[in-house]
Amino acid sequence: MSDPVTHLLHHPYQPPAGFAAPQPGVFKASTVIFPNVAAMRARDWKHKHGYTYGLHGTPTTFLLEERIAALEGGAQCVLVPSGLAAVANVDLALLKTGDEVLIPANAYGPSKALAEGELANWGITHQLYDPMDPADLAARLGPRTRLVWLEAPGSVTMEFPPLAQLAHACRQRGVTTALDNTWGAGLAFNGFDLATPGSGADIVVQALTKYPSGGGDVLMGSIVTRDEALHLQLKLTHMRLGWGVGANDAEAVLRSLPSIALRYQAHDRAARVLARWLQARPEVARVLHPALEGSPGHEHWRALCTDPGQGGGGRAAGLFSVVFHERYRMAQVDAFCDRLRLFKLGYSWGGPVSLVVPYDMPGMRRHWPHRGTLVRFSVGLEAAADLQADLAQALDALAKT
Ligand SMILES: *Cc1c(COP(=O)(O)O)cnc(C)c1O
């Protein structure tokens, strides 16, 4: 080894083992080096016994998978590059030509778009069901139904479904259920244990992009299961699709996870203050927030997200929607959004900065009962009083138009 470049590449120094610090290290790899050919031939990408290739896991991603599985109350986890990739990975692992998937009518939009696009192209049909009506779901469950998506609440309409009843209807028919638990974040309720232990979804996915990241700067998704065979089915599809996540992104989520419960509570507290305050404003026809009495599915939220006997206010995320009085045209409501200073215009949620998005509801939810324009707010970590003052100045200007 006379050449200095070769020497650099094969330098013998190894730092001492046993380094301990609050934050785990970041391990980056495409290539994983095997000690010998026998180890290479005996490689096992399915379990966390060892390492085979960067796509199949590193110490950093294994660590995050185990922590997310624990957060959701599950046993296994697969990480994917976005929340939408988690939805797609589940669809592709479980569905084949001739199958049908049922999706809530108020579901995350791109999940419906995937069903209307690629799934339809591959001969997989879908139906939208009314998430607030278990009888509607039961009537749509057919011999070709292989998968039912659940989501609580719809992240724009904020309707909180009778989740345990929906899951029960599927379980009775032996149909696999997958819950998009991005709103609950593994904190508001346990997606696997709804009415009773084990009565919940078979698969729980989350956009880690939202609360687990908490920074508005990472895209990642998780797919959590309790059943080893189902996990391996999802992981096999994951391997074939080549969906890896970057170690630096995994590290960013690992760094944010210890504060997730505190952040979730802070987002929740401020969102409820603002939602209640908005209820009293004359410009507003309706505030949709599952923790507010009279909001669609409030009783389902109460049953799932409050602890009996504790008398507390329950758990909710920092999201709510407002339906403006129908006397305001869409352009006036757009101007209201433009006038906000602390609430920024942008998609996604769960980060420190408050966000606002106006939606065009007729395209998003069949039989939508409200006529006024809907605006969805994601409350960040700013002081609630400052956010309220921001809303007040934009509402006062709206009232004058
Ligand atoms: C944001 C979101 C997703 C998708 O997450 P991305 O990481 O942005 O792809 C899926 N479901 C829900 C409910 C979401 O809010």
Side-chain angles (χ1 to χ4, degrees), residues 245-275:
V245 302
N248 288 101
D249 283 346
E251 189 269 347
V253 179
L254 281 167
R255 191 150 201 267
S256 293
L257 273 185
S259 65
I260 188 173
L262 289 174
R263 289 184 283 109
Y264 196 81
Q265 279 167 21
H267 290 294
D268 178 8
R269 206 176 308 124
R272 288 200 222 187
V273 167
L274 298 176

Short mmCIF file of all heavy atoms in Angstrom, two decimals, residues 245-275:
data_model
loop_
_atom_site.label_atom_id
_atom_site.label_comp_id
_atom_site.label_asym_id
_atom_site.label_seq_id
_atom_site.Cartn_x
_atom_site.Cartn_y
_atom_site.Cartn_z
N VAL A 245 -34.75 6.13 2.38
CA VAL A 245 -34.79 7.48 2.96
C VAL A 245 -33.37 7.89 3.32
O VAL A 245 -32.53 7.04 3.64
CB VAL A 245 -35.70 7.56 4.21
CG1 VAL A 245 -37.12 7.15 3.88
CG2 VAL A 245 -35.16 6.74 5.36
N GLY A 246 -33.09 9.17 3.25
CA GLY A 246 -31.75 9.67 3.53
C GLY A 246 -31.46 9.68 5.02
O GLY A 246 -32.34 9.96 5.84
N ALA A 247 -30.21 9.36 5.36
CA ALA A 247 -29.83 9.30 6.78
C ALA A 247 -29.96 10.66 7.47
O ALA A 247 -30.34 10.73 8.64
CB ALA A 247 -28.40 8.78 6.91
N ASN A 248 -29.66 11.73 6.75
CA ASN A 248 -29.76 13.05 7.38
C ASN A 248 -31.22 13.42 7.68
O ASN A 248 -31.52 14.04 8.71
CB ASN A 248 -29.13 14.14 6.51
CG ASN A 248 -27.62 14.01 6.49
OD1 ASN A 248 -27.05 13.48 5.54
ND2 ASN A 248 -26.97 14.44 7.56
N ASP A 249 -32.12 12.99 6.80
CA ASP A 249 -33.54 13.22 7.07
C ASP A 249 -33.99 12.38 8.25
O ASP A 249 -34.75 12.85 9.11
CB ASP A 249 -34.38 12.90 5.83
CG ASP A 249 -34.29 14.01 4.78
OD1 ASP A 249 -33.81 15.10 5.11
OD2 ASP A 249 -34.71 13.76 3.63
N ALA A 250 -33.54 11.12 8.29
CA ALA A 250 -33.90 10.24 9.43
C ALA A 250 -33.39 10.86 10.72
O ALA A 250 -34.08 10.87 11.75
CB ALA A 250 -33.34 8.85 9.23
N GLU A 251 -32.18 11.40 10.68
CA GLU A 251 -31.60 12.01 11.88
C GLU A 251 -32.40 13.24 12.31
O GLU A 251 -32.60 13.47 13.50
CB GLU A 251 -30.15 12.41 11.59
CG GLU A 251 -29.37 12.85 12.82
CD GLU A 251 -29.42 14.33 13.11
OE1 GLU A 251 -29.85 15.11 12.23
OE2 GLU A 251 -29.03 14.72 14.21
N ALA A 252 -32.89 14.01 11.32
CA ALA A 252 -33.69 15.20 11.66
C ALA A 252 -34.96 14.78 12.41
O ALA A 252 -35.37 15.44 13.37
CB ALA A 252 -34.03 15.99 10.40
N VAL A 253 -35.58 13.69 11.97
CA VAL A 253 -36.80 13.22 12.65
C VAL A 253 -36.44 12.66 14.03
O VAL A 253 -37.15 12.93 15.01
CB VAL A 253 -37.55 12.18 11.79
CG1 VAL A 253 -38.80 11.69 12.52
CG2 VAL A 253 -37.94 12.77 10.44
N LEU A 254 -35.33 11.92 14.12
CA LEU A 254 -34.89 11.39 15.43
C LEU A 254 -34.65 12.54 16.41
O LEU A 254 -34.91 12.42 17.61
CB LEU A 254 -33.61 10.56 15.27
CG LEU A 254 -33.81 9.14 14.76
CD1 LEU A 254 -32.47 8.52 14.34
CD2 LEU A 254 -34.47 8.26 15.82
N ARG A 255 -34.16 13.66 15.91
CA ARG A 255 -33.88 14.80 16.78
C ARG A 255 -35.17 15.48 17.25
O ARG A 255 -35.24 16.02 18.35
CB ARG A 255 -33.02 15.81 16.01
CG ARG A 255 -32.44 16.89 16.87
CD ARG A 255 -31.11 17.38 16.32
NE ARG A 255 -30.36 18.02 17.37
CZ ARG A 255 -30.40 19.33 17.60
NH1 ARG A 255 -31.13 20.11 16.85
NH2 ARG A 255 -29.69 19.85 18.57
N SER A 256 -36.19 15.43 16.42
CA SER A 256 -37.46 16.10 16.76
C SER A 256 -38.38 15.25 17.62
O SER A 256 -39.23 15.78 18.32
CB SER A 256 -38.21 16.48 15.48
OG SER A 256 -37.51 17.47 14.77
N LEU A 257 -38.23 13.92 17.53
CA LEU A 257 -39.19 13.04 18.21
C LEU A 257 -39.31 13.27 19.72
O LEU A 257 -40.42 13.22 20.25
CB LEU A 257 -38.84 11.57 17.95
CG LEU A 257 -39.43 10.92 16.70
CD1 LEU A 257 -39.09 9.43 16.70
CD2 LEU A 257 -40.94 11.11 16.62
N PRO A 258 -38.19 13.52 20.43
CA PRO A 258 -38.35 13.67 21.89
C PRO A 258 -39.29 14.81 22.29
O PRO A 258 -39.88 14.77 23.36
CB PRO A 258 -36.91 13.95 22.38
CG PRO A 258 -36.05 13.29 21.35
CD PRO A 258 -36.78 13.49 20.04
N SER A 259 -39.47 15.80 21.43
CA SER A 259 -40.33 16.93 21.79
C SER A 259 -41.71 16.84 21.15
O SER A 259 -42.51 17.78 21.25
CB SER A 259 -39.66 18.25 21.39
OG SER A 259 -39.52 18.33 19.98
N ILE A 260 -42.02 15.71 20.50
CA ILE A 260 -43.28 15.67 19.73
C ILE A 260 -44.51 15.86 20.62
O ILE A 260 -45.44 16.59 20.26
CB ILE A 260 -43.38 14.39 18.86
CG1 ILE A 260 -44.61 14.50 17.94
CG2 ILE A 260 -43.43 13.13 19.68
CD1 ILE A 260 -44.73 13.38 16.93
N ALA A 261 -44.52 15.25 21.80
CA ALA A 261 -45.72 15.35 22.65
C ALA A 261 -45.92 16.79 23.13
O ALA A 261 -47.04 17.31 23.14
CB ALA A 261 -45.62 14.39 23.83
N LEU A 262 -44.83 17.45 23.49
CA LEU A 262 -44.92 18.85 23.94
C LEU A 262 -45.40 19.76 22.81
O LEU A 262 -46.23 20.64 23.00
CB LEU A 262 -43.56 19.34 24.44
CG LEU A 262 -43.08 18.74 25.75
CD1 LEU A 262 -41.65 19.19 26.04
CD2 LEU A 262 -44.00 19.15 26.89
N ARG A 263 -44.83 19.52 21.61
CA ARG A 263 -45.23 20.35 20.47
C ARG A 263 -46.70 20.13 20.12
O ARG A 263 -47.45 21.07 19.87
CB ARG A 263 -44.33 20.05 19.26
CG ARG A 263 -42.90 20.57 19.42
CD ARG A 263 -42.07 20.33 18.16
NE ARG A 263 -41.62 18.96 18.01
CZ ARG A 263 -42.06 18.09 17.13
NH1 ARG A 263 -43.01 18.43 16.27
NH2 ARG A 263 -41.58 16.86 17.07
N TYR A 264 -47.09 18.84 20.11
CA TYR A 264 -48.48 18.50 19.77
C TYR A 264 -49.46 19.20 20.71
O TYR A 264 -50.45 19.79 20.28
CB TYR A 264 -48.65 16.98 19.83
CG TYR A 264 -49.87 16.42 19.14
CD1 TYR A 264 -49.89 16.22 17.76
CD2 TYR A 264 -51.01 16.09 19.87
CE1 TYR A 264 -51.00 15.69 17.13
CE2 TYR A 264 -52.13 15.56 19.24
CZ TYR A 264 -52.12 15.36 17.87
OH TYR A 264 -53.22 14.84 17.25
N GLN A 265 -49.14 19.17 22.02
CA GLN A 265 -49.99 19.84 23.01
C GLN A 265 -50.05 21.34 22.76
O GLN A 265 -51.11 21.96 22.89
CB GLN A 265 -49.45 19.62 24.42
CG GLN A 265 -49.82 18.28 25.02
CD GLN A 265 -49.00 17.98 26.28
OE1 GLN A 265 -48.44 18.89 26.90
NE2 GLN A 265 -48.92 16.72 26.63
N ALA A 266 -48.91 21.93 22.42
CA ALA A 266 -48.87 23.38 22.21
C ALA A 266 -49.67 23.78 20.97
O ALA A 266 -50.43 24.75 20.98
CB ALA A 266 -47.41 23.84 22.08
N HIS A 267 -49.52 22.99 19.88
CA HIS A 267 -50.30 23.26 18.66
C HIS A 267 -51.80 23.15 18.98
O HIS A 267 -52.61 23.97 18.55
CB HIS A 267 -49.96 22.23 17.57
CG HIS A 267 -48.58 22.35 16.98
ND1 HIS A 267 -48.19 23.43 16.23
CD2 HIS A 267 -47.53 21.50 16.98
CE1 HIS A 267 -46.93 23.24 15.81
NE2 HIS A 267 -46.52 22.07 16.26
N ASP A 268 -52.14 22.09 19.73
CA ASP A 268 -53.54 21.81 20.08
C ASP A 268 -54.13 22.97 20.90
O ASP A 268 -55.19 23.51 20.58
CB ASP A 268 -53.59 20.49 20.86
CG ASP A 268 -54.98 20.10 21.34
OD1 ASP A 268 -55.96 20.77 20.94
OD2 ASP A 268 -55.10 19.12 22.10
N ARG A 269 -53.40 23.37 21.94
CA ARG A 269 -53.91 24.40 22.84
C ARG A 269 -54.19 25.70 22.08
O ARG A 269 -55.26 26.29 22.17
CB ARG A 269 -52.89 24.65 23.96
CG ARG A 269 -53.49 25.17 25.24
CD ARG A 269 -52.44 25.30 26.34
NE ARG A 269 -51.66 24.10 26.56
CZ ARG A 269 -50.33 24.02 26.50
NH1 ARG A 269 -49.61 25.09 26.19
NH2 ARG A 269 -49.71 22.89 26.75
N ALA A 270 -53.22 26.13 21.28
CA ALA A 270 -53.36 27.40 20.55
C ALA A 270 -54.48 27.29 19.51
O ALA A 270 -55.26 28.23 19.31
CB ALA A 270 -52.05 27.78 19.90
N ALA A 271 -54.56 26.14 18.84
CA ALA A 271 -55.59 25.96 17.80
C ALA A 271 -56.99 26.07 18.42
O ALA A 271 -57.88 26.68 17.84
CB ALA A 271 -55.43 24.62 17.10
N ARG A 272 -57.17 25.50 19.61
CA ARG A 272 -58.51 25.56 20.22
C ARG A 272 -58.87 26.97 20.65
O ARG A 272 -60.01 27.40 20.52
CB ARG A 272 -58.59 24.61 21.41
CG ARG A 272 -58.61 23.17 20.94
CD ARG A 272 -59.16 22.28 22.00
NE ARG A 272 -58.38 21.06 22.07
CZ ARG A 272 -58.72 20.03 22.83
NH1 ARG A 272 -59.79 20.09 23.58
NH2 ARG A 272 -57.98 18.95 22.83
N VAL A 273 -57.87 27.72 21.16
CA VAL A 273 -58.12 29.12 21.53
C VAL A 273 -58.62 29.89 20.30
O VAL A 273 -59.63 30.60 20.35
CB VAL A 273 -56.83 29.77 22.10
CG1 VAL A 273 -56.98 31.28 22.18
CG2 VAL A 273 -56.50 29.17 23.46
N LEU A 274 -57.92 29.73 19.18
CA LEU A 274 -58.26 30.48 17.97
C LEU A 274 -59.57 29.99 17.37
O LEU A 274 -60.39 30.80 16.91
CB LEU A 274 -57.13 30.35 16.94
CG LEU A 274 -55.78 30.94 17.41
CD1 LEU A 274 -54.71 30.67 16.37
CD2 LEU A 274 -55.90 32.43 17.68
N ALA A 275 -59.79 28.67 17.38
CA ALA A 275 -61.03 28.12 16.80
C ALA A 275 -62.23 28.65 17.57
O ALA A 275 -63.24 29.06 16.98
CB ALA A 275 -60.99 26.60 16.83
#
